[in-house]
Amino acid sequence: MAKLVSIFFFCILCSVGFASIKYEHISSWDRNYYERCISCRTITFTCGVNNSDDAAINQNWTSEYYEHISFVNCKFTDILSSIIAMFNSIRSLNITDVELYTLQPKVLSNLTKLEKLMASNNRLTELPPKLFVNTTQIANVDFSKNAIKRIDPLTFENVTSLQTLNLSNNQLDRIEPICLDHPKLRELDLSNNHLSFVEKNVFDKLANLLKLNLSNNNLSPLEDGLFDKMTALTHLDLASNRIGNLHVGIFSQLANLEYLSLRGTNISSIELGTFSYQHKLISLDLSDNQITEFDFDLFFPIVHDLRSLYLSQNRLQHLNGFRNAIFPSLVLLDIQNNSFNCSYLKYFFGLVNWDKIRLAVDPSSTQPRKSNIRGINCEASSTSEAYINEYSTVQKTEMQNSLNDNLIRLIVKSSDEAFGVKVILFLVLTVIATCGAMYLLVNRNRLFNSNRYHRGVGEQDASSDPMVKYSSDGVLLME
């Protein structure tokens, strides 16, 4: 009995082991899958131990019917162009994880209707010139998780419809501007490469790009104007680079930016006005940096759409200037792992209206033997005169900020109405002044004669007064 059990488990292990082996030959295609997926027009080839069934692929299939091809359990040092050529009407080709070392233009030369190429998780080291010379309708390309060190400037020659390009997890250290000459490109992923420098004009032809991922590279301080031509950009990920301190010009043209990640970019200070153009920001990640002071006037006057603000793993000691009115839509605030004093942190929590805002707390990051307030670690110490003075300053600042907030709300809420009232008042005063001037102008003779009449009457009254006497020459005599 024990032997039978051992044999049974041995067979299971063998079957699992053989199932994971990749083969170089196509022995059959999954007929069951084909029958279940007849409506999606997909065919999947499964590689086997030998090539005795290779003739199966030469059956009289209607190759024009299929639009999607993929491979399972296959290993190609060079993809079989003869197989691909049979299906020249396909729109999608999936050659992911087939251990490709090279991909030549001849493989794709007949696929004039190809729109999507998935070639990730292979062993490609370069992309040759004119790879898509006949595949002009290609829109989505994925070369992620390879070992690509170089992209020929002519790799995408004649391509005019490219919309998404994924080159992440490769070994690129440079990108030629001509490689990114694609005005229709919407998404570009260059994350997890070896890029240390990006030329200023490399993104100039990407005016319609919406998402750019440059995270996990070796980028040093970025030049002003690098992103200026990408005015449509909504997502920008620069995390895990050595960018350093931020200045005003770096994001000045990105008015449509919604998601910005600067996590782990060696920031210690941020120049005032750096985020003053990003009125549509939804998420801002500044975590894992060296920031000691954070001035919330960076967002002046109001960031209406910001929902998530990440400031964890910095060196912040206070958050003076933070107030709900600046972020009316904020729902998540992450301030974990900073250098807050417990007395100050307790005071700060009392200043914030937590009705809508959720405080991010990770139980695994909370040190069990260290003081914390609401799961946020802090330094416990007695309230000293220095902290009392600090609180006094904070209270004054908060009072001023409160007044400013009320003023901001009034300005924002009634700016249009106030402008209308001012216009109406100005018009009314203008009409009154005009009417007054016209009245004086029209009645000037009557008013002048009336004035003379009153003067004359006064003289007449004086001369008829019995108490007043005049000499023969008209000189007034006093009684």
Side-chain angles (χ1 to χ4, degrees), residues 257-260 278-284 303 305-306:
L257 206 58
E258 297 178 359
Y259 296 87
L260 175 60
Q278 282 68 60
H279 303 296
K280 298 181 180 181
L281 265 184
I282 295 175
S283 176
L284 176 62
V303 184
D305 299 326
L306 191 69

Side-chain angles (χ1 to χ4, degrees), residues 79-146:
I79 192 72
L80 299 178
S81 56
S82 59
I83 299 174
I84 303 300
M86 292 177 55
F87 304 92
N88 53 15
S89 297
I90 63 173
R91 299 181 183 276
S92 173
L93 175 61
N94 188 348
I95 50 176
T96 297
D97 193 22
V98 295
E99 301 189 14
L100 271 182
Y101 283 86
T102 181
L103 182 62
Q104 297 300 327
K106 64 180 181 179
V107 176
L108 308 176
S109 60
N110 294 324
L111 306 182
T112 56
K113 297 182 180 180
L114 190 67
E115 297 175 358
K116 186 174 184 179
L117 174 64
M118 293 164 282
S120 65
N121 200 22
N122 284 295
R123 301 186 181 185
L124 299 173
T125 58
E126 65 177 357
L127 298 180
K130 300 184 178 181
L131 182 60
F132 302 97
V133 65
N134 294 326
T135 316
T136 57
Q137 298 183 33
I138 193 75
N140 304 288
V141 177
D142 185 356
F143 283 117
S144 62
K145 297 181 181 180
N146 279 280

Side-chain angles (χ1 to χ4, degrees), residues 219-418:
L219 294 175
S220 52
L222 304 176
E223 295 186 41
D224 281 348
L226 180 62
F227 306 118
D228 281 4
K229 299 301 177 65
M230 295 188 291
T231 54
L233 203 64
T234 60
H235 293 64
L236 177 59
D237 192 343
L238 297 169
S240 300
N241 282 285
R242 298 177 297 173
I243 294 175
N245 296 338
L246 300 179
H247 45 86
V248 175
I250 191 65
F251 305 126
S252 60
Q253 301 302 314
L254 304 183
N256 291 304
L257 206 58
E258 297 178 359
Y259 296 87
L260 175 60
S261 178
L262 293 164
R263 174 181 50 82
T265 49
N266 199 32
I267 299 174
S268 60
S269 66
I270 304 174
E271 189 175 358
L272 282 174
T274 298
F275 303 120
S276 60
Y277 302 95
Q278 282 68 60
H279 303 296
K280 298 181 180 181
L281 265 184
I282 295 175
S283 176
L284 176 62
D285 191 347
L286 292 166
S287 59
D288 194 17
N289 280 291
Q290 312 296 324
I291 304 173
T292 56
E293 294 184 4
F294 193 79
D295 192 337
F296 287 93
D297 285 338
L298 289 165
F299 304 99
F300 186 82
I302 294 177
V303 184
H304 290 281
D305 299 326
L306 191 69
R307 301 173 193 170
S308 304
L309 178 59
Y310 301 90
L311 296 171
S312 61
Q313 297 184 2
N314 278 283
R315 299 179 180 178
L316 294 170
Q317 296 182 353
H318 56 78
L319 294 168
N320 294 346
F322 179 90
R323 49 200 186 274
N324 294 75
I326 301 179
F327 311 112
S329 299
L330 191 67
V331 295
L332 178 63
L333 177 62
D334 188 357
I335 57 173
Q336 302 175 88
N337 299 313
N338 276 284
S339 303
F340 298 121
N341 177 276
C342 291
S343 299
Y344 170 77
L345 194 60
K346 182 179 179 180
Y347 178 79
F348 170 75
F349 284 152
L351 297 175
V352 179
N353 183 356
W354 299 100
D355 291 344
K356 296 181 179 179
I357 301 177
R358 178 172 64 87
L359 190 65
V361 176
D362 181 7
S364 63
S365 68
T366 303
Q367 301 177 24
R369 297 184 179 180
K370 188 175 181 179
S371 299
N372 73 85
I373 300 178
R374 297 181 61 178
I376 307 298
N377 285 126
C378 56
E379 297 291 338
S381 63
S382 58
T383 304
S384 62
E385 183 178 353
Y387 274 101
I388 293 175
N389 293 334
E390 180 181 357
Y391 290 168
S392 177
T393 302
V394 170
Q395 285 179 327
K396 292 178 181 178
T397 303
E398 291 301 329
M399 291 177 62
Q400 183 63 44
N401 289 338
S402 179
L403 293 174
N404 292 338
D405 291 341
N406 293 331
L407 180 60
I408 290 171
R409 282 195 293 268
L410 288 174
I411 292 173
V412 172
K413 182 177 180 180
S414 62
S415 58
D416 294 336
E417 298 176 0

Side-chain angles (χ1 to χ4, degrees), residues 420-437:
V421 171
K422 290 179 181 179
V423 171
I424 293 173
L425 182 60
F426 174 76
L427 292 176
V428 170
L429 293 176
T430 302
V431 170
I432 293 174
T434 303
C435 291

Side-chain angles (χ1 to χ4, degrees), residues 50-78:
N50 55 62
N51 61 353
S52 59
D53 295 330
D54 278 356
I57 66 172
N58 293 319
Q59 296 182 36
N60 187 23
W61 299 337
T62 306
S63 60
E64 291 80 6
Y65 178 83
Y66 299 100
E67 294 184 354
H68 313 282
I69 292 181
S70 60
F71 298 87
V72 173
N73 204 37
C74 297
K75 180 175 69 173
F76 300 133
T77 54
D78 188 3

